[in-house]
Amino acid sequence: MIEIKDLKKQFGETTACDIPSFTINDGDILGLVGNNGAGKTTLFRLLLDLLQPDGGSVWIDGVNPADSESWKLHVGAYIDEGFLIDFLTPEEYFAFLGKVSGISQTDVDQRLSRYEHFCSSEIFGQKKLIRNLSAGNKMKVGIISALFRQPKTVILDEPFNFLDPTSQVLLKHLLRDYSQETGSTIIISSHNLQHTIDISSRIALLEHGVIIRDLPNKEGSAAPELEAYFGAE
């Protein structure tokens, strides 16, 4: 469970986050939507202790990330390319992640095997450094790295960006399957409204750092309200 209490962040005169109270329950697939500048990435950076809030707090399974690093064992995230070690090949990168996580190379290979279809033979075995991969393939490496340790909570910022249509569909299946198999909480932001509606069990709509709607999304039930909101912009 993630609990947000009186969380505030300002950049000069701009309010990037102002959330009095919000709870993300275990097993939620939460879609975070909003126009540019709504505060989605800022919220993710606050959740991951990459930004210091001006006020309030975040609690992940009862732990404040600002006070302890124990939460990192149970959270996987990919926000941007800065999360990658781009002077390694994908194979070297995941071998490194396995080593620091206490995962044997045999288990590393086994975990990566489930992503073979998603990778489409374009990532592994190519002898390319991560920095030389296409933007879409860098995104795939980042997504896989977020899921690699089989965390209880997964946070992905714009994961559909740069992916071709086939990979976008595969990603939706991948995330839904992961949620069903593990009971994990998944939080994604996306400008692709349809993909967000397709995958999310719940959708939070942000505007100027404020969550203005918290919508259940059983069988796409949030679609009319979201389409009305964005259609009016």
Side-chain angles (χ1 to χ4, degrees), residues 190-204:
S190 180
H191 282 123
N192 190 309
L193 191 59
Q194 189 56 58
H195 285 336
T196 306
I197 291 169
D198 288 345
I199 195 173
S200 302
S201 60
R202 179 182 174 197
I203 296 178

Side-chain angles (χ1 to χ4, degrees), residues 165-197:
T166 295
S167 297
Q168 291 177 22
V169 172
L170 289 173
L171 177 58
K172 288 194 288 186
H173 288 294
L174 183 66
L175 294 178
R176 278 195 295 248
D177 289 347
Y178 183 84
S179 175
Q180 291 171 2
E181 291 169 7
T182 65
S184 298
T185 301
I186 298 176
I187 312 168
I188 66 167
S189 73
S190 180
H191 282 123
N192 190 309
L193 191 59
Q194 189 56 58
H195 285 336
T196 306
I197 291 169

Side-chain angles (χ1 to χ4, degrees), residues 79-122:
I79 305 298
D80 56 37
E81 292 179 21
F83 278 55
L84 303 174
I85 305 176
D86 69 356
F87 58 83
L88 300 178
T89 66
E91 289 90 342
E92 291 170 338
Y93 177 55
F94 286 106
F96 171 77
L97 291 183
K99 187 173 182 179
V100 299
S101 303
I103 302 170
S104 71
Q105 187 60 48
T106 298
D107 286 342
V108 168
D109 295 339
Q110 184 177 18
R111 292 187 186 201
L112 293 179
S113 67
R114 71 175 298 171
Y115 303 111
E116 287 180 357
H117 191 32
F118 181 54
C119 291
S120 301
S121 302
E122 296 176 347

Side-chain angles (χ1 to χ4, degrees), residues 8-86:
K8 297 181 184 294
K9 185 65 183 180
Q10 292 276 141
F11 294 106
E13 298 298 316
T14 301
T15 299
C17 183
D18 185 2
I19 303 175
S21 179
F22 191 69
T23 299
I24 304 169
N25 299 307
D26 291 344
D28 278 351
I29 302 180
L30 177 71
L32 205 60
V33 299
N35 288 314
N36 289 335
K40 302 183 295 297
T41 300
T42 296
L43 176 56
F44 280 169
R45 292 189 174 277
L46 290 167
L47 291 176
L48 295 169
D49 196 34
L50 299 173
L51 278 177
Q52 183 177 358
D54 296 322
S57 60
V58 171
W59 298 84
I60 300 177
D61 293 329
V63 176
N64 186 333
D67 297 334
S68 169
E69 294 194 353
S70 62
W71 61 278
K72 292 182 179 180
L73 297 173
H74 312 291
V75 176
Y78 183 67
I79 305 298
D80 56 37
E81 292 179 21
F83 278 55
L84 303 174
I85 305 176
D86 69 356

